[in-house]
Amino acid sequence: MEEISNTQQQILNVGKKEFLEHGFKGASLRQIVKQAGFTLGAFYGYYQSKEELFDALVKETADYIIVFIQEIYDEVKMYPSKERAGHMMDCFARRLPEIVDYLLEHSEELRLLLMKAEGTRYETFFETMAAISEKNVGENILWISRQNMTFRLLIHAYYRLLIQVVLGGGDRESVLKAMMDIQSFFYYGFQYFMKEENEQ
Amino acid sequence: MEEISNTQQQILNVGKKEFLEHGFKGASLRQIVKQAGFTLGAFYGYYQSKEELFDALVKETADYIIVFIQEIYDEVKMYPSKERAGHMMDCFARRLPEIVDYLLEHSEELRLLLMKAEGTRYETFFETMAAISEKNVGENILWISRQNMTFRLLIHAYYRLLIQVVLGGGDRESVLKAMMDIQSFFYYGFQYFMKEENEQ
Amino acid sequence: MEEISNTQQQILNVGKKEFLEHGFKGASLRQIVKQAGFTLGAFYGYYQSKEELFDALVKETADYIIVFIQEIYDEVKMYPSKERAGHMMDCFARRLPEIVDYLLEHSEELRLLLMKAEGTRYETFFETMAAISEKNVGENILWISRQNMTFRLLIHAYYRLLIQVVLGGGDRESVLKAMMDIQSFFYYGFQYFMKEENEQ
Amino acid sequence: MEEISNTQQQILNVGKKEFLEHGFKGASLRQIVKQAGFTLGAFYGYYQSKEELFDALVKETADYIIVFIQEIYDEVKMYPSKERAGHMMDCFARRLPEIVDYLLEHSEELRLLLMKAEGTRYETFFETMAAISEKNVGENILWISRQNMTFRLLIHAYYRLLIQVVLGGGDRESVLKAMMDIQSFFYYGFQYFMKEENEQ
DNA sequence: GATGAATGAGTGTTCATTCAT
DNA sequence: TATGAATGAACACTCATTCAT
């Protein structure tokens, strides 16, 4: 456990607020330390750069999400190769409440990560998330060929919807309800896809 | 017909490139005019501000899109009230090739508009697009209640997919194919929704 | 008679307006030619610089005023040396209506000259006016010694009041009335001075 | 007591000099910091803007003057209503040495305030001073009707003379002597006015 | 006589970062 | 740990003026 001094906690709090308000590039270190009641010099005692502060705010959440997605695909892989496609949505659905809870608790970090990270190494975080899916689907769910751009895009869309619902600001119940609906929507949609592919 | 001098065309070209690379805020007028081989003074002979240059690059495409979406809903309105929901996807599908062709030809402007416009009056362009849909759906396709957040999100997702496909960089054929697939996917998905709503 | 083309007249009109509004330094040639419906190039066909335009607007009035003041002192000089001081105010009073009429007709030029000329060779015009008085008084109205700062300042004040009354915006009658009052005020005031000086 | 570092003092000194030389608008921050031996960044560590520097140079003097004038009128108000007019000049005369001393010590600030403040919130400081007089005279010294433009102008002239004497650069004695003379001059002048008004 | 394109130096202001103390 | 002073480069924008056509 790293010790976090009051000063550092202040900087983190105000930093989060300012990054949320103005984005990484738009936020001013001067403003942050001023509001936190410290000086620029103090800041550089804790972080080596503006980006390092952003990182500190966001890293844990980013890592969690990446691991979480990978875990889902690991579960999918436990089915026999041919059944994987059919179970993919199940696996996602099963762990939906868990990830929703986590994201609701870290919604500010999520927003930073996905909407305020331009100029940091997270500016392509969404694509990174999607790339994990593409990799796993391509390697393991064979009949969905990796070239199938449409499928990739629908995965993107699914993630984006999940995020939007969480960031939309509703309570846990309505967020879960919306995601269940979307899940069903996607389930029906995918039926069409699997039929199509089988016919070809 | 406005005449556009070589200089101005240079500024437009380099400006487009720089805005695409760094976003509106991140782009530097100094860099733009330097690369265009002119001075800052020359720039201000053509445009009154940085934003005006962005506007000149993007306005036509923005206007075209807004008008286009409204036109689709005007077509939907020509059906009797009860049939509108069923025909909505048809209407979108019918005009899909047209908008795809237009957007492919203006894909750079589209990218500026939707991903590089922070700091300009277009920074909420995507929301503006979606708001037109919400307004029309809410007023005219009655059984889809305006409060239905999920439905709103799916409209967002549809537009976002359309844009991503276009910006994905494929050729006309593969873009159209992908959009047709997505169309079908959404069609099937909506079946579920309509069933659900009717049962309630 | 110099011919003045429409273009030139336009520039003069708009130039006067802009100089009045923003002062010499604050006025922008760009704005002037834009409002006049011409280009910067055209401007430099008529005037060699911004200051030359100011000069053109103001020179005649400036010259007239200088000559006028000198004329008054020339009249004073026609009295025997000892009587001059006593007649000074008379001479001023006698020609008051004439100068008031002229200044009312050229009040805009007067304002340019005295309040908007910073940055031009007229920025010390008021001091120039006063210096003529000082010179004449010092040379010719002997008992008022040149060192008498107070007397100099009262001359300044007299001129300043004259100008303020004219620029105050009243009609001819009220301007003349005010100046007559001021004249009397100064007349009484000077009585005190002459008494004092004689006693010393 | 605010501590003022050497740097800040340097900026204040050079700033005062530059503002005196070129006026507020005409002075260049770059020139100021260059002469002070610092950089622009350093400047903005002390002042938030060019105007704030001007303010720092001038505020104390401005406030002092405003309060001082008001105090004189407060003294006038201690006389019965009918006697006020007759005592006004007395009250001014009584406190003349005090204000002269103050202004002589702050003559540079006075010059900034009254001749170099265009573009700052002090650009109408002279009018503000005069307005206090007008207000007090109008409310309390009844027989001098507020509409009497001439009277207003004479108040202006009195202040302007006071300032000119101070800024004229003489020593304390000659300044005081000049102001006493002017005081007497105005006293005699006002006799005429009061007579006139009474006769009407 | 007038245009329109262009210059080059200037403006006030903000930035992330450094460093001696 | 924290300060506070300072840097130097960057920002968008405006200016009076020039000159080939």
PDB file of all heavy atoms in Angstrom, chain D residues 25 31 48 56 58 76-77 110 112 114 117 122-123 126-127 135 155 160 164 173-174 178 188 191:
ATOM      1  N   LYS D  25      -1.926  52.274 -22.933  1.00  0.00           N
ATOM      2  CA  LYS D  25      -2.029  51.473 -24.164  1.00  0.00           C
ATOM      3  C   LYS D  25      -0.693  51.373 -24.880  1.00  0.00           C
ATOM      4  O   LYS D  25      -0.328  50.322 -25.385  1.00  0.00           O
ATOM      5  CB  LYS D  25      -3.060  52.095 -25.115  1.00  0.00           C
ATOM      6  CG  LYS D  25      -4.480  51.607 -24.908  1.00  0.00           C
ATOM      7  CD  LYS D  25      -5.343  52.130 -26.066  1.00  0.00           C
ATOM      8  CE  LYS D  25      -6.821  51.809 -25.842  1.00  0.00           C
ATOM      9  NZ  LYS D  25      -7.681  52.616 -26.744  1.00  0.00           N
ATOM     10  N   GLN D  31       8.738  45.423 -23.264  1.00  0.00           N
ATOM     11  CA  GLN D  31       9.733  46.438 -22.953  1.00  0.00           C
ATOM     12  C   GLN D  31       9.939  46.554 -21.444  1.00  0.00           C
ATOM     13  O   GLN D  31      11.057  46.664 -20.965  1.00  0.00           O
ATOM     14  CB  GLN D  31       9.289  47.800 -23.512  1.00  0.00           C
ATOM     15  CG  GLN D  31       9.531  47.952 -25.008  1.00  0.00           C
ATOM     16  CD  GLN D  31      10.992  47.780 -25.348  1.00  0.00           C
ATOM     17  OE1 GLN D  31      11.863  48.352 -24.715  1.00  0.00           O
ATOM     18  NE2 GLN D  31      11.283  46.951 -26.357  1.00  0.00           N
ATOM     19  N   GLN D  48      -1.779  39.907 -12.740  1.00  0.00           N
ATOM     20  CA  GLN D  48      -2.583  39.067 -13.618  1.00  0.00           C
ATOM     21  C   GLN D  48      -2.763  39.684 -14.996  1.00  0.00           C
ATOM     22  O   GLN D  48      -3.220  39.024 -15.922  1.00  0.00           O
ATOM     23  CB  GLN D  48      -3.959  38.816 -12.994  1.00  0.00           C
ATOM     24  CG  GLN D  48      -3.863  38.185 -11.618  1.00  0.00           C
ATOM     25  CD  GLN D  48      -4.968  37.170 -11.386  1.00  0.00           C
ATOM     26  OE1 GLN D  48      -5.222  36.308 -12.226  1.00  0.00           O
ATOM     27  NE2 GLN D  48      -5.625  37.281 -10.259  1.00  0.00           N
ATOM     28  N   ALA D  56      -1.974  48.839  -9.593  1.00  0.00           N
ATOM     29  CA  ALA D  56      -1.104  48.799  -8.420  1.00  0.00           C
ATOM     30  C   ALA D  56      -0.343  50.102  -8.253  1.00  0.00           C
ATOM     31  O   ALA D  56      -0.045  50.532  -7.143  1.00  0.00           O
ATOM     32  CB  ALA D  56      -0.129  47.627  -8.539  1.00  0.00           C
ATOM     33  N   VAL D  58      -1.399  53.082  -9.044  1.00  0.00           N
ATOM     34  CA  VAL D  58      -2.227  54.268  -9.073  1.00  0.00           C
ATOM     35  C   VAL D  58      -3.373  54.256  -8.064  1.00  0.00           C
ATOM     36  O   VAL D  58      -3.876  55.300  -7.654  1.00  0.00           O
ATOM     37  CB  VAL D  58      -2.750  54.382 -10.532  1.00  0.00           C
ATOM     38  CG1 VAL D  58      -4.215  54.602 -10.612  1.00  0.00           C
ATOM     39  CG2 VAL D  58      -1.945  55.438 -11.268  1.00  0.00           C
ATOM     40  N   VAL D  76     -18.095  71.423   4.420  1.00  0.00           N
ATOM     41  CA  VAL D  76     -19.004  72.493   3.982  1.00  0.00           C
ATOM     42  C   VAL D  76     -20.404  72.259   4.539  1.00  0.00           C
ATOM     43  O   VAL D  76     -21.090  73.189   4.982  1.00  0.00           O
ATOM     44  CB  VAL D  76     -19.058  72.575   2.442  1.00  0.00           C
ATOM     45  CG1 VAL D  76     -20.096  73.610   1.989  1.00  0.00           C
ATOM     46  CG2 VAL D  76     -17.686  72.906   1.867  1.00  0.00           C
ATOM     47  N   LYS D  77     -20.803  71.008   4.566  1.00  0.00           N
ATOM     48  CA  LYS D  77     -22.162  70.688   5.005  1.00  0.00           C
ATOM     49  C   LYS D  77     -22.404  71.007   6.477  1.00  0.00           C
ATOM     50  O   LYS D  77     -23.538  71.030   6.929  1.00  0.00           O
ATOM     51  CB  LYS D  77     -22.426  69.193   4.763  1.00  0.00           C
ATOM     52  CG  LYS D  77     -23.026  68.927   3.371  1.00  0.00           C
ATOM     53  CD  LYS D  77     -23.496  67.499   3.249  1.00  0.00           C
ATOM     54  CE  LYS D  77     -22.536  66.714   2.358  1.00  0.00           C
ATOM     55  NZ  LYS D  77     -22.904  65.302   2.222  1.00  0.00           N
ATOM     56  N   LEU D 110      -0.176  60.846 -10.013  1.00  0.00           N
ATOM     57  CA  LEU D 110      -1.200  61.789 -10.466  1.00  0.00           C
ATOM     58  C   LEU D 110      -1.188  61.930 -11.983  1.00  0.00           C
ATOM     59  O   LEU D 110      -2.233  61.939 -12.636  1.00  0.00           O
ATOM     60  CB  LEU D 110      -0.947  63.152  -9.816  1.00  0.00           C
ATOM     61  CG  LEU D 110      -2.036  64.198 -10.000  1.00  0.00           C
ATOM     62  CD1 LEU D 110      -3.293  63.786  -9.267  1.00  0.00           C
ATOM     63  CD2 LEU D 110      -1.569  65.568  -9.537  1.00  0.00           C
ATOM     64  N   LEU D 112      -0.062  59.703 -14.146  1.00  0.00           N
ATOM     65  CA  LEU D 112      -0.592  58.458 -14.712  1.00  0.00           C
ATOM     66  C   LEU D 112      -2.116  58.498 -14.718  1.00  0.00           C
ATOM     67  O   LEU D 112      -2.768  58.209 -15.724  1.00  0.00           O
ATOM     68  CB  LEU D 112      -0.135  57.253 -13.882  1.00  0.00           C
ATOM     69  CG  LEU D 112       1.328  56.852 -13.984  1.00  0.00           C
ATOM     70  CD1 LEU D 112       1.628  55.688 -13.046  1.00  0.00           C
ATOM     71  CD2 LEU D 112       1.667  56.463 -15.424  1.00  0.00           C
ATOM     72  N   LEU D 114      -4.226  60.931 -14.564  1.00  0.00           N
ATOM     73  CA  LEU D 114      -4.993  61.951 -15.275  1.00  0.00           C
ATOM     74  C   LEU D 114      -4.581  62.123 -16.722  1.00  0.00           C
ATOM     75  O   LEU D 114      -5.310  62.696 -17.514  1.00  0.00           O
ATOM     76  CB  LEU D 114      -4.856  63.280 -14.537  1.00  0.00           C
ATOM     77  CG  LEU D 114      -5.665  63.290 -13.239  1.00  0.00           C
ATOM     78  CD1 LEU D 114      -5.145  64.317 -12.274  1.00  0.00           C
ATOM     79  CD2 LEU D 114      -7.131  63.540 -13.577  1.00  0.00           C
ATOM     80  N   ALA D 117      -4.000  57.290 -18.560  1.00  0.00           N
ATOM     81  CA  ALA D 117      -4.830  56.161 -18.135  1.00  0.00           C
ATOM     82  C   ALA D 117      -5.800  55.658 -19.207  1.00  0.00           C
ATOM     83  O   ALA D 117      -6.609  54.777 -18.945  1.00  0.00           O
ATOM     84  CB  ALA D 117      -5.589  56.525 -16.879  1.00  0.00           C
ATOM     85  N   TYR D 122      -9.454  53.928 -15.107  1.00  0.00           N
ATOM     86  CA  TYR D 122      -9.284  55.291 -14.617  1.00  0.00           C
ATOM     87  C   TYR D 122      -9.391  56.320 -15.731  1.00  0.00           C
ATOM     88  O   TYR D 122      -9.133  57.488 -15.512  1.00  0.00           O
ATOM     89  CB  TYR D 122      -7.926  55.428 -13.918  1.00  0.00           C
ATOM     90  CG  TYR D 122      -7.818  54.612 -12.656  1.00  0.00           C
ATOM     91  CD1 TYR D 122      -7.088  53.438 -12.629  1.00  0.00           C
ATOM     92  CD2 TYR D 122      -8.487  55.010 -11.503  1.00  0.00           C
ATOM     93  CE1 TYR D 122      -7.009  52.680 -11.468  1.00  0.00           C
ATOM     94  CE2 TYR D 122      -8.405  54.263 -10.338  1.00  0.00           C
ATOM     95  CZ  TYR D 122      -7.659  53.097 -10.326  1.00  0.00           C
ATOM     96  OH  TYR D 122      -7.586  52.355  -9.179  1.00  0.00           O
ATOM     97  N   GLU D 123      -9.782  55.890 -16.918  1.00  0.00           N
ATOM     98  CA  GLU D 123      -9.685  56.849 -18.022  1.00  0.00           C
ATOM     99  C   GLU D 123     -10.626  58.035 -17.850  1.00  0.00           C
ATOM    100  O   GLU D 123     -10.442  59.067 -18.471  1.00  0.00           O
ATOM    101  CB  GLU D 123      -9.861  56.169 -19.381  1.00  0.00           C
ATOM    102  CG  GLU D 123     -11.211  55.596 -19.662  1.00  0.00           C
ATOM    103  CD  GLU D 123     -11.205  54.805 -20.985  1.00  0.00           C
ATOM    104  OE1 GLU D 123     -10.237  54.903 -21.755  1.00  0.00           O
ATOM    105  OE2 GLU D 123     -12.177  54.084 -21.249  1.00  0.00           O
ATOM    106  N   PHE D 126     -10.818  62.088 -14.018  1.00  0.00           N
ATOM    107  CA  PHE D 126     -11.061  63.522 -13.825  1.00  0.00           C
ATOM    108  C   PHE D 126     -12.558  63.805 -13.734  1.00  0.00           C
ATOM    109  O   PHE D 126     -13.017  64.540 -12.861  1.00  0.00           O
ATOM    110  CB  PHE D 126     -10.438  64.330 -14.967  1.00  0.00           C
ATOM    111  CG  PHE D 126     -10.472  65.795 -14.721  1.00  0.00           C
ATOM    112  CD1 PHE D 126      -9.524  66.409 -13.928  1.00  0.00           C
ATOM    113  CD2 PHE D 126     -11.486  66.571 -15.271  1.00  0.00           C
ATOM    114  CE1 PHE D 126      -9.572  67.773 -13.675  1.00  0.00           C
ATOM    115  CE2 PHE D 126     -11.546  67.932 -15.021  1.00  0.00           C
ATOM    116  CZ  PHE D 126     -10.581  68.532 -14.229  1.00  0.00           C
ATOM    117  N   GLU D 127     -13.300  63.189 -14.625  1.00  0.00           N
ATOM    118  CA  GLU D 127     -14.752  63.377 -14.607  1.00  0.00           C
ATOM    119  C   GLU D 127     -15.344  62.846 -13.298  1.00  0.00           C
ATOM    120  O   GLU D 127     -16.283  63.420 -12.754  1.00  0.00           O
ATOM    121  CB  GLU D 127     -15.401  62.667 -15.802  1.00  0.00           C
ATOM    122  CG  GLU D 127     -15.239  63.424 -17.114  1.00  0.00           C
ATOM    123  CD  GLU D 127     -13.802  63.396 -17.616  1.00  0.00           C
ATOM    124  OE1 GLU D 127     -13.075  62.448 -17.262  1.00  0.00           O
ATOM    125  OE2 GLU D 127     -13.398  64.335 -18.334  1.00  0.00           O
ATOM    126  N   LYS D 135     -22.229  66.696  -7.604  1.00  0.00           N
ATOM    127  CA  LYS D 135     -23.250  66.072  -6.770  1.00  0.00           C
ATOM    128  C   LYS D 135     -23.418  66.857  -5.462  1.00  0.00           C
ATOM    129  O   LYS D 135     -24.530  67.230  -5.075  1.00  0.00           O
ATOM    130  CB  LYS D 135     -22.830  64.636  -6.469  1.00  0.00           C
ATOM    131  CG  LYS D 135     -23.832  63.820  -5.666  1.00  0.00           C
ATOM    132  CD  LYS D 135     -23.453  62.351  -5.708  1.00  0.00           C
ATOM    133  CE  LYS D 135     -24.201  61.557  -4.647  1.00  0.00           C
ATOM    134  NZ  LYS D 135     -23.814  61.911  -3.262  1.00  0.00           N
ATOM    135  N   ILE D 155     -15.709  74.627 -11.849  1.00  0.00           N
ATOM    136  CA  ILE D 155     -15.205  73.597 -10.930  1.00  0.00           C
ATOM    137  C   ILE D 155     -14.145  72.753 -11.648  1.00  0.00           C
ATOM    138  O   ILE D 155     -13.051  72.512 -11.130  1.00  0.00           O
ATOM    139  CB  ILE D 155     -16.356  72.689 -10.440  1.00  0.00           C
ATOM    140  CG1 ILE D 155     -17.374  73.468  -9.619  1.00  0.00           C
ATOM    141  CG2 ILE D 155     -15.786  71.489  -9.670  1.00  0.00           C
ATOM    142  CD1 ILE D 155     -16.996  73.615  -8.160  1.00  0.00           C
ATOM    143  N   ARG D 160      -8.480  71.273 -12.598  1.00  0.00           N
ATOM    144  CA  ARG D 160      -7.449  71.152 -13.625  1.00  0.00           C
ATOM    145  C   ARG D 160      -6.255  72.038 -13.279  1.00  0.00           C
ATOM    146  O   ARG D 160      -5.101  71.641 -13.445  1.00  0.00           O
ATOM    147  CB  ARG D 160      -8.050  71.564 -14.978  1.00  0.00           C
ATOM    148  CG  ARG D 160      -7.125  71.469 -16.157  1.00  0.00           C
ATOM    149  CD  ARG D 160      -7.062  70.088 -16.792  1.00  0.00           C
ATOM    150  NE  ARG D 160      -8.337  69.681 -17.352  1.00  0.00           N
ATOM    151  CZ  ARG D 160      -8.539  68.501 -17.942  1.00  0.00           C
ATOM    152  NH1 ARG D 160      -7.554  67.617 -18.040  1.00  0.00           N
ATOM    153  NH2 ARG D 160      -9.720  68.189 -18.416  1.00  0.00           N
ATOM    154  N   GLN D 164      -2.479  70.953 -12.713  1.00  0.00           N
ATOM    155  CA  GLN D 164      -1.418  71.486 -13.562  1.00  0.00           C
ATOM    156  C   GLN D 164      -0.316  72.124 -12.752  1.00  0.00           C
ATOM    157  O   GLN D 164       0.858  71.998 -13.076  1.00  0.00           O
ATOM    158  CB  GLN D 164      -1.988  72.491 -14.558  1.00  0.00           C
ATOM    159  CG  GLN D 164      -2.604  71.804 -15.767  1.00  0.00           C
ATOM    160  CD  GLN D 164      -3.162  72.815 -16.717  1.00  0.00           C
ATOM    161  OE1 GLN D 164      -3.865  73.731 -16.309  1.00  0.00           O
ATOM    162  NE2 GLN D 164      -2.836  72.657 -17.989  1.00  0.00           N
ATOM    163  N   GLU D 173       6.843  75.567  -2.280  1.00  0.00           N
ATOM    164  CA  GLU D 173       6.480  76.942  -2.010  1.00  0.00           C
ATOM    165  C   GLU D 173       5.785  77.601  -3.201  1.00  0.00           C
ATOM    166  O   GLU D 173       4.720  78.192  -3.064  1.00  0.00           O
ATOM    167  CB  GLU D 173       7.740  77.738  -1.657  1.00  0.00           C
ATOM    168  CG  GLU D 173       7.568  78.607  -0.445  1.00  0.00           C
ATOM    169  CD  GLU D 173       8.937  78.994   0.102  1.00  0.00           C
ATOM    170  OE1 GLU D 173       9.870  78.136   0.011  1.00  0.00           O
ATOM    171  OE2 GLU D 173       9.083  80.128   0.569  1.00  0.00           O
ATOM    172  N   SER D 174       6.402  77.473  -4.354  1.00  0.00           N
ATOM    173  CA  SER D 174       5.824  78.138  -5.521  1.00  0.00           C
ATOM    174  C   SER D 174       4.485  77.506  -5.899  1.00  0.00           C
ATOM    175  O   SER D 174       3.566  78.192  -6.346  1.00  0.00           O
ATOM    176  CB  SER D 174       6.797  78.125  -6.696  1.00  0.00           C
ATOM    177  OG  SER D 174       7.040  76.805  -7.099  1.00  0.00           O
ATOM    178  N   ALA D 178       1.110  79.636  -6.011  1.00  0.00           N
ATOM    179  CA  ALA D 178       0.264  79.664  -7.199  1.00  0.00           C
ATOM    180  C   ALA D 178      -1.170  79.270  -6.850  1.00  0.00           C
ATOM    181  O   ALA D 178      -2.133  79.915  -7.277  1.00  0.00           O
ATOM    182  CB  ALA D 178       0.824  78.726  -8.270  1.00  0.00           C
ATOM    183  N   TYR D 188     -12.697  86.005  -6.142  1.00  0.00           N
ATOM    184  CA  TYR D 188     -13.195  87.242  -6.739  1.00  0.00           C
ATOM    185  C   TYR D 188     -14.162  86.938  -7.873  1.00  0.00           C
ATOM    186  O   TYR D 188     -15.195  87.581  -8.028  1.00  0.00           O
ATOM    187  CB  TYR D 188     -12.038  88.123  -7.238  1.00  0.00           C
ATOM    188  CG  TYR D 188     -11.436  88.963  -6.144  1.00  0.00           C
ATOM    189  CD1 TYR D 188     -10.609  88.395  -5.188  1.00  0.00           C
ATOM    190  CD2 TYR D 188     -11.714  90.324  -6.073  1.00  0.00           C
ATOM    191  CE1 TYR D 188     -10.072  89.145  -4.179  1.00  0.00           C
ATOM    192  CE2 TYR D 188     -11.170  91.098  -5.061  1.00  0.00           C
ATOM    193  CZ  TYR D 188     -10.349  90.521  -4.115  1.00  0.00           C
ATOM    194  OH  TYR D 188      -9.830  91.284  -3.118  1.00  0.00           O
ATOM    195  N   GLN D 191     -17.570  86.124  -6.675  1.00  0.00           N
ATOM    196  CA  GLN D 191     -18.349  87.272  -6.209  1.00  0.00           C
ATOM    197  C   GLN D 191     -19.274  87.733  -7.318  1.00  0.00           C
ATOM    198  O   GLN D 191     -20.473  87.949  -7.116  1.00  0.00           O
ATOM    199  CB  GLN D 191     -17.426  88.441  -5.822  1.00  0.00           C
ATOM    200  CG  GLN D 191     -16.381  88.105  -4.786  1.00  0.00           C
ATOM    201  CD  GLN D 191     -17.009  87.708  -3.468  1.00  0.00           C
ATOM    202  OE1 GLN D 191     -17.984  88.323  -3.037  1.00  0.00           O
ATOM    203  NE2 GLN D 191     -16.473  86.668  -2.843  1.00  0.00           N
TER     204      GLN D 191
END
